Amino acid sequence: MLSMAHPNVYNSCQMIGFDEIRKLSQVTPSKIVLLVMDGVGGLPHPKTGKTELEAARCPNLDQLANESICGMQYTVSPGITPGSAPGHMSLFGYDPLTYPLGRGIVEALGLDIEVGPGDVVARGNFCTVDDTGHIADRRAGRLASEKSRELCELLNSKVKVDGCATEFFAGKEHRFVVRFRGDGLSDEVSDTDPQHEGMLPPGAQALTPAAQKTTTIVNTLIEQSRDLLKDKHPANMFLLRGFSQHPDYPSLQHIYQLSPACIATYPMYRGVSRVVGMDILPAGETLETQLETLKKNYDRYDYFFVHFKKTDARGEDGDFEAKVKAVEEFDAALPGFLELNPDVVIVTGDHSTPAGLAGHSWHTIPVMLRAQYCRKDEVTRFSEPACLRGGLGQFHATELMPLAMANALKLNKFGA
Amino acid sequence: MLSMAHPNVYNSCQMIGFDEIRKLSQVTPSKIVLLVMDGVGGLPHPKTGKTELEAARCPNLDQLANESICGMQYTVSPGITPGSAPGHMSLFGYDPLTYPLGRGIVEALGLDIEVGPGDVVARGNFCTVDDTGHIADRRAGRLASEKSRELCELLNSKVKVDGCATEFFAGKEHRFVVRFRGDGLSDEVSDTDPQHEGMLPPGAQALTPAAQKTTTIVNTLIEQSRDLLKDKHPANMFLLRGFSQHPDYPSLQHIYQLSPACIATYPMYRGVSRVVGMDILPAGETLETQLETLKKNYDRYDYFFVHFKKTDARGEDGDFEAKVKAVEEFDAALPGFLELNPDVVIVTGDHSTPAGLAGHSWHTIPVMLRAQYCRKDEVTRFSEPACLRGGLGQFHATELMPLAMANALKLNKFGA
C-alpha cells in the first residue's frame, strides 16, 4: 500500500461547454443534494498537528466518506483565495473567471435587495472628508450600523434625480448599497472611491458613451447627497464602487434541465443562488428548519443546495475550537439529510477558512460524492489529508456539476 | 434566457498545440505500441467489492504495471460518458471537443463505407408514418436488418438525382447510411429527423447559402424515396440526421512525423484510425491474427494501434464474469505483444464500460506506459484503485500522445 497521495496533473484540455452539456442533459426523477459547509477546509493546529476536520468527532461525515468517492477541489484557480460569491458560482458549475459578479450586485444580493433587469447597483461607503474635501477616513470611523440606517433614510427622503428612481439600502457599519432604477441605464461607470485617503473623491465617469446618462445621474445623486451630509461628520460624504447590473447568465434549468432550489439561512447565498436560477425556499435559522424545508419540497425539485454558515463564521473568528464544534453540529444533523436517500449527495465547502488565518484562504477543499455508481475509493475519513487520496483527485470545482449530473444518470453519451 | 455559448476554458494552462509539437517531433527507429482494451474500466461488484480488473487473474498485465508508470485518464471531460469515436480520437491526441466527428461520418466509418473528399454522408432511420404523414414509430418497429438491406437495394436501383450519385448502405436493424457524391456538396444541412414521434418529418434546410444545392438534392432524394416506400409499411418513410463530410484533420504523420498503423477487428475503429491518417492493416478476427499482423509489419511502421473489443462488448452485455474472462483472454495474449519489446508500450481503454451499468460510463480509465525512461512508480496491479496511485495521476487522455512520443525519445527540447 502506498502512503503518498497520488500526484495530480491539473488538466490542460478545455472542459465541456454549457451548449454541449445542455444537449446531453435529460430530466429524470433522480435527486441531487449539495450540502455546503462554508469555509470547511482548514489548517493543522500548531499544537496537535490536526486540522479542524481532523480534530472534530464526526462519525456521520466519516461514514459518508466511506461510502463516497472523495477528492480535493479549488473553486477559482490554484493559489487564489475565493470570496463567497465566486466560491459558490464555481460549485454551481460557473467558472468565476468567466462568470464574474460585480461588487455592487454581490453586496445587493447579500442584503436581499431586489435587483431587476436594467437596474444598476453600487456598493457605497460612508466616509469622512476634511474642510478641503479630501478623504480623511474611507470608513467614517466604521460608522455604527444604526447611524448608517438613519443616513440612508435621510437620503431616501430628500434625494430626487430626474429620470431615475434611486434608493439607498443600509448595510453593516459604514456600508450601503444604492440602486438606480430607470430606462437606459448602464453599469459602465467608474468608481468614485479612489481606495486611498488624502485624495479628493473623483466624480463618476462614463466608461462607454452609452453610460453617459447614468453617469450624469450618479453625479447628480452625489452632489445632492454631499449637501445633505455636510453636517453629519464623521459621515459627511460617501464613495461608490462596483457599479453593476444583474448578470444575465444561463440558468441551471437552461444548462442542465434541472429544477433547482436553495435552502440557505443567509441572504448572500440566496442571492447567488437566484443568479443561477434557483427557487429560494424558506430556510429558517437552523439545520433543523432547513431539513424540514428540504423534506417538504423534496418532490418538487431535483437539485437542492443547502448552506451551512457556522464553519466559515467560526473560522473567520479565528476560533479553532468553535470551528471544530461547528463541524460536529453539522455532523449531528447529517443523518436527517441522508434519510431521504438522495441519488447523489455531495458534501464540500466553497473555500477554506482556517481558524489559524482567521479568514478565507486559497487551500483546496475536501469534497465527497455518494451515489450508487460513484466508484467509491478507500477514503474512510472526511478530512483534508484523507480526501487527498480520493478517487476524484484534485480538481476544479466547476467539474463537480457534470460529475453530479453523471452520477444522477442525467447525462447522455457524448458522440457516437 | 440565454442560449449562447460562453466558451469555457476552465484551466489556467493550455496544452501544447499541434503546430508546436510538430516542430519538436523527429523521426527515430523507436516503436510505440498502443494496446486498447475497449471499455476496460469498471465498477466494483456489489458482492465482492472488486471491479472486473480486480477480479481477473491477469499476471501479465500486473507484471507490466510493475514495470510501468500508471495513472487514470478521461477522454472527454470529467463526468462525460464518451462514445467510441470521441474516446479513440482522444487517445490519438485529438481533443474530441475540438475535433468532433459527425454522426453521419461515424456511422459510415462503422460500416466500412468509403467516404472521399467532398462526399456527404448522413445517418438514416427507416421509420413508420401514418396516413397523414406523421411519424408513428421512429424505428419502424426496429426493422430486421435483412429487410433494411432489401429496402436499400430497392432505393439504390430506383432513386436517381440530377447532379449527384447517391447510395444507400444498410446498417443494423432500421439504420442505414446514405452517401451523396458530386461536385460542390456541403454538409451544412439540417436534420430531417425531429427526434420525436407524432410530428411531420421536416424537409432538409440549408444552414448556409452554400448548402442550397445539397439541400435540394437531399429533398429530391426524400421525395423519390417516399413514393418507393409508401407500400412498405412499417418502413414507409425514413429520417436523416448528422449530415457530415470526412473531416480534414491534421494526420499523425503531419503532427508527430509518425508512420502509424491500425490493427483493429471492427470497422468503427478502423474508420476513426483512417481519419487520423493511419494505414489500415488486415487484422483477422482475434488477438492472435492481430499479433501476426503486428509482427509482419513491425519494421514498416513506428506507431501501432491494436484494438481489443471484447472487454467493451461483455461490459455492454452487463455480464461481469464474461468481462473478467475477456480481461483474462487479453492478459494471456499480452506476452506475445511484449516479446517484440516495443520502446513504448501502452495499455488502456477508450472509456469505462462497467458491467453494472451495461453501457459506456464517465468513470476514469486505468492506463500504464512502459518505456526505458518512464520513471516507473510503485503500482504493481493493473486496476482502477492501483492506477489511481500511479505516477501519471489523473489526466486528460490527449496528454497521452505527447507522453508516448517523449518516452520514445521522439520529441526535441522546447525552447532554448
Side-chain angles (χ1 to χ4, degrees), chain A residues 16-30:
Chain A
I16 194 161
F18 287 165
D19 280 354
E20 280 298 339
I21 211 156
R22 174 171 160 76
K23 289 182 211 153
L24 304 181
S25 298
Q26 60 178 351
V27 178
T28 73
S30 61

Side-chain angles (χ1 to χ4, degrees), chain A residues 376, chain B residues 42-55 318-321 324 354-356:
Chain A
K376 77 190 195 66
Chain B
L43 281 174
H45 192 284
K47 291 223 176 96
T48 64
K50 289 185 175 177
T51 67
E52 297 90 328
L53 273 176
E54 287 179 290
D319 189 335
F320 190 97
E321 280 312 316
V324 170

Side-chain angles (χ1 to χ4, degrees), chain B residues 321-361:
Chain B
E321 280 312 316
K323 190 175 169 195
V324 170
K325 287 215 159 45
V327 171
E328 292 174 347
E329 178 182 333
F330 183 89
D331 184 77
L334 183 57
F337 292 90
L338 299 182
E339 251 172 40
L340 288 162
N341 201 24
D343 300 272
V344 177
V345 60
I346 296 169
V347 179
T348 189
D350 55 336
H351 51 75
S352 291
T353 307
L357 279 167
H360 293 198
S361 80

Side-chain angles (χ1 to χ4, degrees), chain B residues 184-311:
Chain B
L185 298 182
S186 160
D187 60 3
E188 298 284 342
V189 176
S190 71
D191 293 352
T192 74
D193 182 351
Q195 305 261 1
H196 290 285
E197 286 159 3
M199 299 175 72
L200 286 172
Q205 296 190 339
L207 301 173
T208 62
Q212 194 49 62
K213 175 185 165 183
T214 315
T215 304
T216 305
I217 288 169
V218 169
N219 284 326
T220 306
L221 170 126
I222 293 172
E223 282 318 303
Q224 293 185 16
S225 304
R226 191 200 305 267
D227 285 344
L228 293 163
L229 295 174
K230 66 175 186 289
D231 299 326
K232 304 293 181 185
H233 189 280
N236 58 0
M237 184 52 182
F238 62 67
L239 307 170
L240 300 178
R241 59 185 158 132
F243 288 88
S244 38
Q245 292 188 303
H246 199 292
D248 192 13
Y249 292 155
S251 66
L252 294 178
Q253 290 91 328
H254 178 81
I255 304 164
Y256 300 103
Q257 322 256 14
L258 289 170
S259 304
C262 161
I263 310 176
T265 60
Y266 275 64
M268 166 74 181
Y269 309 97
R270 295 195 289 264
V272 178
S273 301
R274 210 177 273 128
V275 166
V276 299
M278 291 191 207
D279 277 6
I280 309 301
L281 304 181
E285 297 289 331
T286 65
L287 284 169
E288 286 65 39
T289 53
Q290 288 173 288
L291 176 57
E292 266 174 49
T293 297
L294 177 63
K295 285 184 172 161
K296 205 176 299 173
N297 292 276
Y298 199 65
D299 293 337
R300 294 178 52 214
Y301 300 92
D302 54 12
Y303 174 97
F304 296 91
F305 157 53
V306 179
H307 183 262
F308 179 65
K309 178 70 178 171
K310 279 190 193 165
T311 29

